[in-house]
Amino acid sequence: MICPYCNIGIQVQFKNHTIIPYIWDDEDCDYGKGYELKNGLCPVCGELIIILTDGRIENNRDGIEIYEFGAEFIIYPVHKNIRDLPIEVQGIYRKDFLEACQVLEISPKASAAISRRLLQHLLREEFNIKRKNLVQEIEEFISKHDVPTYLKESVDAVRHIGNFAAHPQKSISTGEIIDVEHGEAEWLLEVLEALFDFSIVQPKRLDIRRNKLNKKLNEMGKPEMK
């Protein structure tokens, strides 16, 4: 299965198997239909996963057992908005981004607050921009000459949606939950994905391709690419 948190193919050791009958075929309650509830931890990221499976059940001397498995559902976490985040994005970046996705349907305000905090973290760690607040950091980012225009415009929009620019004092603590207009929380996720691709994903993939090419050049006795 694919972990709903880290998006990596995994094998989970599930435990706490609980059978929940919902209909019996006979008065003696020997056979019927029911659910199996089980849980386990992702071996990669350690997060909890809960699975619900329906099927046929039998009530025997060992207790109620499920013997014909049907459809299987992940009931926790509830990830309606999880995106296909590239494997190159890991650590706190991945954790915060997926958390912002998880709460988007429940609370756009909370999702936007997590995304703003992550945006500030990205600007500070990947672009070495450290100012008094997020608004000032965005202003410095859009003044950079080595950043594509589309990315500058995307990040600059964060200052204007949700009346963010009108409340610079709120941006001192980017985790603070302030009013969010329709679409802001989802736009922040789009901006973060673009920043991940530019600052993390593409450089790492380019390094891999360069290393492979240099290996071939070495084998041919030619100088490496700089």
Side-chain angles (χ1 to χ4, degrees), residues 47 52 90 98-99 112 135 140 142 161-162 179 184 199 216:
E47 296 289 350
L52 184 71
Q90 291 293 333
L98 295 181
E99 184 178 351
V135 168
E140 181 174 337
I142 62 179
I161 54 179
D179 288 340
E184 179 192 5
S199 64
K216 290 182 179 179

Side-chain angles (χ1 to χ4, degrees), residues 66-85:
I66 188 166
Y67 66 94
E68 284 185 10
F69 293 92
E72 185 174 272
F73 308 94
I74 297 178
I75 62 172
Y76 183 86
V78 181
H79 282 180
K80 293 183 179 179
N81 290 284
I82 287 301
R83 298 163 182 244
D84 188 17
L85 201 61

Side-chain angles (χ1 to χ4, degrees), residues 37-166:
L37 192 66
K38 58 187 178 181
N39 65 72
L41 302 178
C42 170
V44 177
C45 65
E47 296 289 350
L48 174 67
I49 301 171
I50 302 177
I51 299 289
L52 184 71
T53 308
D54 66 2
R56 301 287 301 174
I57 59 174
E58 177 184 5
N59 190 3
N60 54 41
R61 62 182 182 181
D62 295 322
I64 301 175
E65 297 180 344
I66 188 166
Y67 66 94
E68 284 185 10
F69 293 92
E72 185 174 272
F73 308 94
I74 297 178
I75 62 172
Y76 183 86
V78 181
H79 282 180
K80 293 183 179 179
N81 290 284
I82 287 301
R83 298 163 182 244
D84 188 17
L85 201 61
I87 192 65
E88 290 86 356
V89 182
Q90 291 293 333
I92 191 64
Y93 295 156
R94 190 178 198 91
K95 181 178 182 297
D96 282 355
F97 183 85
L98 295 181
E99 184 178 351
C101 291
Q102 291 174 40
V103 301
L104 180 61
E105 290 293 330
I106 302 170
S107 174
K109 292 182 181 181
S111 178
I114 297 169
S115 293
R116 290 192 195 102
R117 181 182 66 192
L118 178 53
L119 173 59
Q120 186 172 53
H121 189 49
L122 265 171
L123 294 179
R124 291 183 173 184
E125 296 301 320
E126 304 302 325
F127 297 92
N128 197 30
I129 298 174
K130 298 178 181 180
R131 294 291 184 178
K132 181 180 179 181
N133 54 55
L134 181 56
V135 168
Q136 293 179 5
E137 288 166 342
I138 290 174
E139 289 173 347
E140 181 174 337
F141 176 81
I142 62 179
S143 69
K144 293 178 71 68
H145 299 294
D146 56 347
V147 175
T149 301
Y150 78 89
L151 201 53
K152 293 181 182 181
E153 293 176 349
S154 298
V155 174
D156 187 35
V158 176
R159 296 189 303 168
H160 304 293
I161 54 179
N163 204 24
F164 189 40

Side-chain angles (χ1 to χ4, degrees), residues 190-203:
E190 298 281 351
V191 170
L192 288 170
E193 285 179 315
L195 283 169
F196 286 149
D197 185 69
F198 176 76
S199 64
I200 298 174
V201 178
Q202 293 307 320

Side-chain angles (χ1 to χ4, degrees), residues 108 161 180-189:
I161 54 179
V180 178
E181 291 182 359
H182 178 71
E184 179 192 5
E186 192 149 7
W187 174 253
L188 279 163
L189 295 174

